[in-house]
Amino acid sequence: MTNRLLTAAAALALSASGALAAPDAITLGMVLEPPNLDPTAGAAAAIDEVVYANLFEGLTRFAPDGSVLPALARSWDVSEDGSSYTFHLAQGVTFHDGSAFDAEDVKFSLDRARAEDSANAQKALFKGIASVEVIDPATVKITLSAPDGAFPFKMAWGDAVILAPESAAEAATHPVGTGPFQFGEWAQGDHVTLTAYPGYWGDKPALNSATFRFISDPTAAFAAMMAGDVDAFPNFPAPETLIQFQSDPRFKVIVGSTEGETILAMNNRKAPLDDIRVREAIAHAINRQDVIDGAMFGYGTPIGSHFAPHNPDYQDLTGLSAYDPEKSKALLAEAGAGDLTLRLALPPPTYARRGGEIIAAQLGAVGIKTEISNLEWAQWLEQVFKGKDFDLTIVSHTEPADINIYARDDYYFGYATPAFQELMAELDRTTDTAERSRINRAAQEMIAADFVNGYLFQLAKTGVANAKIEGLWENSPTQANDLTAVHWVD
């Protein structure tokens, strides 16, 4: 009898300890499903939201505060003239298929990204690379065509992660990286699951698995959180319901900032938007605060150029394009554009769909008619971003410190004036911090004065999570759901 009681007590203790153990799995909600899972061959932010720092790693990486940290490169040396970087790589690293990582993989990845036929959406990051030289398996030397003080920053982007030549071709659907999580499954239209990689070279994550569920409808996102079907929604699409989560002890609301400059992008290549007077008229027709209040329920910071307000180099240029409908009408009359109809293409995010309706009404008030088309994300990428077949569109550019996109000849809104290109070339050559700040401010002023786009607001990061989850990023220095520090607490 005594033995039976001891056995029962032991079983009860084991059962109790199991019940008290913290969960090792998490389900996160995402608004958009990524079109593929290869961050080196796609422009969609949703790709990095799944794979950045989780499945793929680069030479460097962004920390939660936006600083640059070592990753696969544990340290680096810079030549005296700033034109070459020697990276010292982590050793004992393997890809998820068991193959060894070394300097040859770095050379392959960077040469692939900068190749003439590269599909990398941020090919400009690699433009300054003159050569990539393997010194030994743990050392790689990158020589630049000119000094670049921002090179470690560029290597932290998701577009610069390291792939192996054996598996790169399949990365879109079966990604193989070096990160703490490996690819599990992709049920298209529903979810992607990652599982912890047992052979990870660095600190092991607390989670054993992570599932990213795709829920684009705000009402469905709210229901999924309330029902516990989703543990966290880092970029929650229904800000109007946040007050309900704030009053419920089961949840925490996480509000931070992002790198997402939300803009009314204009096609500068085609008439009548090639006329600065028409672009300025559109800018003055927009009441930013009405858009923020109506589409984002007050979450967002007005911007007057393509630069994040939390950046120390930020210039507040909102006054240059202040809401002034009478000035809009006068500019349209001066440009001979009194009877104007423009196409407004809207991708799926809430800020675009809701904001687009508000902006369409504001433009209508000054005499500009709009024809709205709601596009799925893949359609938007193909038609607007790649095909440049649009007049107006609304999108958040979530890449960090990306004002240099305005210097790209083939970029979708088609600005790229020689003066701005020279300014960006000067920025690339400059290593002095104070001088780089001056150039950044001048760049903001130039595109604001040219009314390249309608600058709306900096996208806030509004997230909801189970109150027992710790380690999610409050801010978004890059487009990521970094799970490396995420864990459950009692």
Side-chain angles (χ1 to χ4, degrees):
M1 174 68 72
T2 303
N3 285 341
R4 286 201 299 271
L5 287 173
L6 288 173
T7 302
L12 181 62
L14 286 171
S15 174
S17 66
L20 294 175
D24 63 358
I26 191 172
T27 298
L28 289 89
M30 285 177 54
V31 173
L32 299 176
E33 180 173 14
N36 66 69
L37 296 175
D38 181 359
T40 70
I47 302 172
D48 277 343
E49 288 178 16
V50 173
V51 303
Y52 185 87
N54 298 324
L55 196 151
F56 286 116
E57 298 173 303
L59 292 173
T60 59
R61 58 154 295 168
F62 291 115
D65 64 358
S67 59
V68 175
L69 299 176
L72 289 173
R74 306 314 296 156
S75 64
W76 52 90
D77 305 317
V78 188
S79 64
E80 191 171 333
D81 66 356
S83 64
S84 70
Y85 287 77
T86 301
F87 290 94
H88 305 284
L89 307 178
Q91 299 186 55
V93 179
T94 59
F95 287 94
H96 300 147
D97 60 4
S99 61
F101 157 82
D102 62 21
E104 292 287 354
D105 298 303
V106 176
K107 177 175 173 56
F108 163 77
S109 298
L110 297 184
D111 284 347
R112 172 176 176 260
R114 67 193 184 97
E116 188 174 340
D117 61 350
S118 169
N120 197 295
Q122 303 295 339
K123 196 173 177 180
L125 293 173
F126 315 95
K127 187 178 180 180
I129 297 177
S131 65
V132 182
E133 179 186 357
V134 173
I135 304 301
D136 57 50
T139 312
V140 62
K141 180 180 180 181
I142 300 173
T143 302
L144 308 176
S145 55
D148 185 355
F151 191 69
F153 172 88
K154 293 176 179 178
M155 292 299 97
W157 284 48
D159 310 81
V161 297
I162 305 303
L163 287 72
E166 298 85 1
S167 55
E170 303 298 321
T173 53
H174 291 86
V176 176
T178 60
F181 296 91
Q182 62 188 345
F183 178 67
E185 66 168 359
W186 184 2
Q188 293 201 358
D190 190 74
H191 70 271
V192 166
T193 297
L194 306 181
T195 60
Y197 174 50
Y200 183 55
W201 63 277
D203 294 334
K204 303 294 190 293
L207 298 173
N208 189 52
S209 69
T211 297
F212 299 83
R213 281 192 58 198
F214 312 125
I215 308 174
S216 60
D217 179 69
T219 302
F222 175 78
M225 281 299 311
M226 293 299 289
D229 297 332
V230 171
D231 300 312
F233 219 119
N235 294 289
F236 191 65
E240 67 273 20
T241 63
L242 290 177
I243 191 169
Q244 293 175 254
F245 291 108
Q246 288 171 329
S247 61
D248 190 327
R250 295 177 299 162
F251 304 103
K252 65 174 74 172
V253 173
I254 308 167
V255 179
S257 63
T258 77
E259 289 290 327
E261 290 81 32
T262 306
I263 64 174
L264 176 69
M266 308 186 208
N267 194 337
N268 288 231
R269 290 182 179 85
K270 58 179 294 187
L273 296 169
D274 58 350
D275 187 328
I276 189 174
R277 295 169 297 182
V278 175
R279 299 197 302 271
E280 183 178 358
I282 290 172
H284 286 299
I286 298 170
N287 186 322
R288 296 182 180 92
Q289 196 59 51
D290 280 356
V291 178
I292 293 170
D293 293 341
M296 304 305 296
F297 293 85
Y299 293 99
T301 304
I303 56 173
S305 190
H306 199 109
F307 220 77
H310 55 259
N311 191 299
D313 295 341
Y314 173 72
Q315 293 273 83
D316 184 357
L317 298 169
T318 51
L320 190 63
S321 52
Y323 177 56
D324 189 343
E326 294 307 313
K327 188 170 184 178
S328 291
K329 294 175 185 177
L331 284 163
L332 290 171
E334 181 184 330
D339 185 20
L340 194 57
T341 299
L342 298 173
R343 297 174 300 154
L344 175 57
L346 301 176
T350 303
Y351 66 76
R353 296 284 172 87
R354 291 176 176 171
E357 296 288 344
I358 296 168
I359 288 174
Q362 292 176 349
L363 294 178
V366 301
I368 301 174
K369 299 174 185 176
T370 52
E371 296 174 348
I372 292 178
S373 57
N374 291 329
L375 305 180
E376 292 307 310
W377 193 242
Q379 289 177 288
W380 187 92
L381 288 169
E382 191 64 32
Q383 177 182 320
V384 177
F385 190 76
K386 295 180 181 177
K388 306 171 183 66
D389 179 15
F390 76 106
D391 295 326
L392 306 172
T393 189
I394 299 175
V395 68
S396 284
H397 283 262
T398 56
E399 297 85 1
D402 61 347
I403 197 169
N404 61 351
I405 59 179
Y406 286 74
R408 298 183 189 175
D409 287 318
D410 61 347
Y411 209 63
Y412 76 102
F413 44 70
Y415 175 60
T417 62
F420 191 84
Q421 290 176 324
E422 175 52 36
L423 202 58
M424 289 297 97
E426 184 183 357
L427 181 66
D428 287 342
R429 293 191 298 266
T430 302
T431 57
D432 179 74
T433 301
E435 185 61 12
R436 288 180 63 85
S437 294
R438 181 196 68 77
I439 297 169
N440 273 326
R441 290 192 294 270
Q444 293 170 64
E445 291 167 0
M446 186 178 294
I447 62 172
D450 282 346
F451 298 94
V452 181
N453 293 310
Y455 301 105
L456 304 176
F457 58 88
Q458 196 72 16
L459 191 67
K461 188 176 191 298
T462 53
V464 181
N466 186 299
K468 294 183 177 181
I469 292 174
E470 297 288 346
L472 291 168
W473 280 8
E474 176 180 330
N475 301 312
S476 285
T478 191
Q479 46 207 24
N481 292 311
D482 179 356
L483 300 177
T484 55
V486 173
H487 59 281
W488 292 82
V489 296
D490 294 332

